[in-house]
Amino acid sequence: MITELEKNTILIVDDEPIIRRSLRYNLQKAGYPCLEAENAQGALEQLKSQTIALAILDIKMPGMSGKELLSEIKKLYRNTAVVMSTSIIDHVTIVECMKDGAQDYIVKPFDQNDVLMRVERILRFREMEQRLESYHNNLEIKVNEQTKNLRRLFLAAVESLVNALESKDIYTAGHSHRTANIAANIGRELKLSEKEMETLHWGALLHDVGKISIDVGIQNKPSKLTPEEYKHVMTHANISANIVEPLVDKETVEVIRHHHDRYDGTGLGQIAVGQDIPLVARIIALADSVDAMMSDRPYRGAMPLEQVLTEINRCAGTQFDPQVIEAFVRLETKKLVAVS
Ligand SMILES: [Fe+2]
């Protein structure tokens, strides 16, 4: 653990012992722990073994110069402040050193009061910088925690919304979760990106929330819907998209809006056709229908898988995207092979 005293340790790097001694004497008298090095190599060894708050570097030294040492220090120990010391005021070199990260420069022979004042100012500034950095790091951690909490709350709210919707109809209980599972399997088979998989998940889970506004009598009607009733039911795609718009990103909203688009473009009020329909929406369209076919309905029982496969293949290129069907069939074939 670094003590308060060590926090202010100063390393004096100069090839002239008398310069090191005089600086050390005055800085220690002012309460700063000091270390010495007669060249860059010695300075780097000291820096490796302990925390140095401030290094005073002679610009002109045999071997590696103070300017070169400055670059090394800024590369390896960015929290160490650096003051250059020189006996000749060479403005070009001084400006270069400041550009390379030196905080200040002092000129020999030193005015010890001036040196102390500069050192104190730099160390105070360094401490403020470190406090600010630590504050930002803590803030980032807190923001991430809050984001996770908000997301958890959001997930719980979505679950409630979906469950409330599905409780209206015993036949569709669990439909959204099952659709999300089927869609996720197809998505993985089609090697969707992580972002697309997320859109697929939320799109599938929320695609039918707009049914909350559909007449329960029509939704649960045991016989075929009239064209007017069908039109009413189909308004749920747009209503779902509008409901979730403040909660999810725009890709998910669009996918939900398009989840009843037919691949051949003949759907009610449909604008996008074929590959222009978002791929994620084409996957949800198939997953939605597959789950509906494999579940009991008021007017029929659940269809066996073979019948479902026949039905979706019949609709390849008209209602559904053939490549999405192929992915689903591949998956089901793999399952059958695994069982046998
Ligand atoms: Fe739907």
Side-chain angles (χ1 to χ4, degrees):
M1 189 180 151
I2 301 164
T3 65
E4 279 302 308
L5 211 62
E6 282 171 325
K7 269 193 201 168
N8 288 328
T9 299
I10 296 172
L11 174 63
I12 302 157
V13 190
D14 201 301
D15 55 316
E16 290 180 62
I18 191 159
I19 300 282
R20 297 201 302 270
R21 270 203 300 276
S22 73
L23 272 176
R24 183 175 194 154
Y25 175 79
N26 285 294
L27 290 168
Q28 281 187 338
K29 210 163 88 177
Y32 296 108
C34 290
L35 298 165
E36 291 180 34
E38 61 178 341
N39 53 33
Q41 198 52 45
L44 288 171
E45 277 165 26
Q46 300 262 29
L47 281 153
K48 204 194 279 185
S49 60
Q50 60 219 291
T51 303
I52 304 291
L54 171 68
I56 299 175
L57 312 182
D58 184 16
I59 289 180
K60 222 170 178 190
M61 287 189 292
M64 188 189 279
S65 71
K67 189 170 174 296
E68 289 167 318
L69 178 57
L70 164 70
S71 300
E72 281 299 293
I73 291 177
K74 287 296 159 186
K75 217 186 313 167
L76 301 171
Y77 311 100
R78 66 181 188 87
N79 286 329
T80 298
V82 175
V83 170
M84 307 308 292
S85 82
T86 180
S87 44
I88 307 154
I89 303 179
D90 169 2
H91 290 292
V92 175
T93 308
I94 288 169
V95 167
E96 280 175 359
C97 288
M98 302 296 270
K99 275 187 186 164
D100 286 349
Q103 271 73 17
D104 206 346
Y105 70 97
I106 49 178
V107 182
K108 300 172 193 174
F110 302 127
D111 171 342
Q112 296 294 351
N113 285 333
D114 179 61
V115 171
L116 271 179
M117 192 191 72
R118 287 169 193 266
V119 164
E120 197 182 325
R121 178 179 53 77
I122 290 166
L123 289 178
R124 209 180 308 140
F125 185 73
R126 176 180 174 269
E127 194 184 338
M128 272 163 50
E129 264 188 334
Q130 286 181 335
R131 277 192 192 165
L132 197 64
E133 194 177 327
S134 145
Y135 172 76
H136 278 146
N137 289 342
N138 286 337
L139 197 65
E140 205 175 315
I141 291 167
K142 280 188 183 149
V143 167
N144 285 341
E145 274 173 13
Q146 286 300 342
T147 307
K148 276 184 195 161
N149 285 339
L150 283 173
R151 189 147 180 86
R152 265 196 291 272
L153 281 172
F154 166 65
L155 287 174
V158 167
E159 292 280 336
S160 301
L161 190 64
V162 170
N163 292 340
L165 165 75
E166 292 182 349
S167 70
K168 277 176 77 188
D169 177 357
I170 52 161
Y171 292 102
T172 57
H175 166 69
S176 300
H177 285 94
R178 289 193 304 271
T179 301
N181 276 337
I182 298 167
N185 289 335
I186 300 173
R188 273 191 291 274
E189 182 68 19
L190 289 173
K191 301 194 173 13
L192 258 53
S193 68
E194 204 177 314
K195 172 73 185 70
E196 287 171 322
M197 287 298 288
E198 197 179 340
T199 306
L200 184 65
H201 174 74
W202 290 112
L205 209 58
L206 299 170
H207 70 285
D208 275 347
V209 290
K211 280 191 177 168
I212 204 111
S213 68
I214 300 302
D215 185 287
V216 183
I218 296 174
Q219 196 179 331
N220 291 336
K221 190 177 171 186
S223 53
K224 201 171 184 299
L225 300 180
T226 65
E228 274 311 302
E229 288 167 340
Y230 180 70
K231 202 173 163 188
H232 169 64
V233 168
M234 293 311 278
T235 58
H236 79 271
N238 261 328
I239 296 169
S240 297
N242 295 341
I243 289 175
V244 300
E245 202 161 10
L247 302 171
V248 294
D249 60 21
K250 64 177 189 319
E251 286 81 10
T252 310
V253 174
E254 281 315 290
V255 155
I256 290 171
R257 208 180 293 286
H258 288 278
H259 84 271
H260 279 296
D261 279 4
R262 289 173 56 97
Y263 192 70
D264 61 7
T266 60
L268 209 60
Q270 187 177 332
I271 297 166
V273 181
Q275 299 290 308
D276 288 339
I277 303 165
L279 172 60
V280 171
R282 283 178 263 146
I283 296 173
I284 294 173
L286 184 72
D288 186 17
S289 294
V290 165
D291 182 68
M293 284 188 259
M294 295 182 87
S295 307
D296 286 328
R297 281 291 182 267
Y299 44 91
R300 60 152 174 82
M303 288 185 192
L305 177 65
E306 304 75 58
Q307 198 180 338
V308 170
L309 292 177
T310 306
E311 185 58 22
I312 60 172
N313 275 318
R314 191 181 63 78
C315 300
T318 52
Q319 187 174 353
F320 304 119
D321 177 355
Q323 67 156 339
V324 177
I325 294 177
E326 274 171 32
F328 179 71
V329 171
R330 268 201 309 276
L331 281 168
E332 291 306 316
T333 311
K334 277 184 212 166
K335 271 194 227 164
L336 288 174
V337 170
V339 170
S340 61

